[in-house]
Amino acid sequence: MKNTNRQPSSGSVLLGMAAGAALGAVGTMAMAQNQRQVKRTARKLAKGAERAMSQLDTMVTDLVERRMGL
């Protein structure tokens, strides 16, 4: 019997947050009036995605290290 009352893992939550931020940035870019704003938003999106992936990598590394230590 499967346990259906599981909490989402923090990696899934982080990935969902990154996806939400990406969608928000795309919406902002679509509404931008000038090219400068579009470039600025794209840089922010790239920086946020890079930060999210770095955090996810750190979380996975910590998890693997804890599992290897058991």
Side-chain angles (χ1 to χ4, degrees):
M1 178 179 271
K2 282 189 171 182
N3 182 5
T4 57
N5 294 327
R6 295 179 58 198
Q7 295 292 327
S9 69
S10 43
S12 297
V13 171
L14 185 60
L15 196 57
M17 290 172 59
L23 288 174
V26 168
T28 301
M29 283 177 39
M31 295 179 67
Q33 295 288 326
N34 60 27
Q35 192 66 21
R36 185 176 177 188
Q37 178 94 19
V38 171
K39 287 180 181 179
R40 193 168 127 209
T41 304
R43 280 195 305 269
K44 284 183 178 182
L45 173 61
K47 188 181 285 189
E50 184 179 342
R51 191 175 300 126
M53 291 306 296
S54 176
Q55 289 175 346
L56 184 59
D57 181 51
T58 301
M59 291 169 61
V60 169
T61 300
D62 290 346
L63 178 65
V64 168
E65 287 176 356
R66 275 190 265 138
R67 295 286 181 179
M68 296 296 274
L70 291 177

